[in-house]
Amino acid sequence: MTAVDFSAFVDTLAEAACETILPFFRTALSASDKNAGGAFDPVTEADHAAEAALRRLIAQAFPGHGVIGEEFGSIHEDAEYVWALDPIDGTKSFIAGLPTWGSLIGLLHRGAPIYGLMAQPFTRERFWGDGAAAFWRGPGAGGAQAQRRLMTRACAEFSAATVLTTSPLLYEDDKLERFRRLERETRLSRYGGDCYAFAMLAAGHVDCVVESGLKLYDIAALIPIIEGAGGVVTNWDGGAAVGGGDVVACGSRELHDKALALLSG
């Protein structure tokens, strides 16, 4: 498969996700709780339908590839190429009618993320990257579709930085204190972004995103976008972020080094 063919196939996946999910958004859609008895972890019919559609397309085009998905688990996860799927990253925002969710489609080669796409069908935006470059496509002047290369901004100090996290409620107590330590150094802190927060980092609108308790499918697609835009993303110890867990992404190496120091135990 050529690069052009691959790009077209990923666009086909994104279209399938968008066409499946968007009719459910801002409707009287009910959500069930995947974590009954614990913190509310919603899942909807839209999540299930979109991931099923993506899996069908991947199985038809690449029967030897593996898939790791939020809703239906893993198949052939030891394959050379593995897709990481999160059909609605930000389901809580989705069911609340907020447009800060997205469909994540990532591809790993021997465990390393090599391509990622985040589609936001309601705003008609897409963010994608391969680690070397990253791009945005969405409504431009007059509503016509526009495209541009993504670049993070070179903020080196938290006193001038904007930091995002999805919610302090998602942190364990000791990790929350470490986040608060970083937050106290920050010019502006905002909550509620989910995957859209990482996209805004790649686009150069914010400087740092901190999260705790992520899964592989929450972050794998976003790593090539962030790195392709010039950003840095690792776990809180400075190791690879692809496995999820506690993740910090920054627009510059200087700010990232400071973030690791503030988040250290």
Side-chain angles (χ1 to χ4, degrees):
M1 175 172 280
T2 67
V4 173
D5 291 336
F6 175 76
S7 178
F9 177 69
V10 177
D11 274 342
T12 298
L13 293 180
E15 286 296 330
C18 293
E19 290 172 3
T20 303
I21 294 167
L22 192 55
F24 291 98
F25 187 50
R26 292 184 177 171
T27 66
L29 179 69
S30 62
S32 57
D33 188 357
K34 293 189 292 186
N35 191 28
F40 181 49
D41 188 8
V43 63
T44 70
E45 183 181 347
D47 293 270
H48 288 144
E51 186 169 320
L54 297 181
R55 285 173 178 264
R56 282 194 300 270
L57 290 169
I58 292 169
Q60 291 167 4
F62 301 107
H65 286 196
V67 176
I68 299 173
E70 179 172 13
E71 308 308 335
F72 299 113
S74 304
I75 57 169
H76 309 309
E77 59 185 305
D78 57 347
E80 182 177 2
Y81 289 94
V82 176
W83 296 84
L85 307 175
D86 191 350
I88 303 178
D89 182 83
T91 303
K92 293 175 184 176
S93 294
F94 183 89
I95 64 176
L98 302 173
T100 53
W101 52 274
S103 296
L104 297 179
I105 301 168
L107 181 63
L108 294 85
H109 180 234
R110 297 194 175 104
I114 59 170
Y115 190 90
L117 180 144
M118 191 280 270
Q120 214 310 326
F122 185 73
T123 61
R124 298 188 295 128
E125 293 179 287
R126 291 188 190 173
F127 303 79
W128 71 94
D130 62 3
F135 300 88
W136 167 89
R137 184 166 67 242
Q145 285 284 293
Q147 181 172 313
R148 66 178 174 86
R149 185 162 180 172
L150 294 173
M151 294 186 66
T152 60
R153 63 187 182 192
C155 176
E157 300 292 339
F158 275 101
S159 59
T162 298
V163 173
L164 301 184
T165 193
T166 296
S167 173
L169 298 176
L170 299 176
Y171 290 78
E172 297 174 356
D173 289 345
D174 63 321
K175 293 176 182 177
L176 178 59
E177 177 49 39
R178 290 155 69 181
F179 169 73
R180 294 295 193 200
R181 189 163 59 208
L182 181 149
E183 187 179 41
R184 285 192 288 270
E185 302 293 321
T186 299
R187 181 181 67 173
L188 175 63
S189 177
R190 303 295 296 167
Y191 303 151
D194 295 297
C195 62
Y196 205 80
F198 290 102
M200 292 300 95
L201 177 88
H205 299 302
V206 305
D207 305 294
C208 178
V209 181
V210 184
E211 298 288 6
S212 184
L214 299 185
K215 306 296 184 185
L216 181 147
Y217 46 71
D218 294 318
I219 191 64
L222 296 165
I223 293 172
I225 302 172
I226 296 164
E227 294 181 343
V232 183
V233 53
T234 69
N235 63 26
W236 289 11
D237 295 322
V242 66
D246 304 320
V247 170
V248 56
C250 293
S252 71
R253 171 64 65 181
E254 294 85 353
L255 195 68
H256 191 265
D257 288 343
K258 292 180 173 68
L260 292 180
L262 290 164
L263 293 167
S264 66

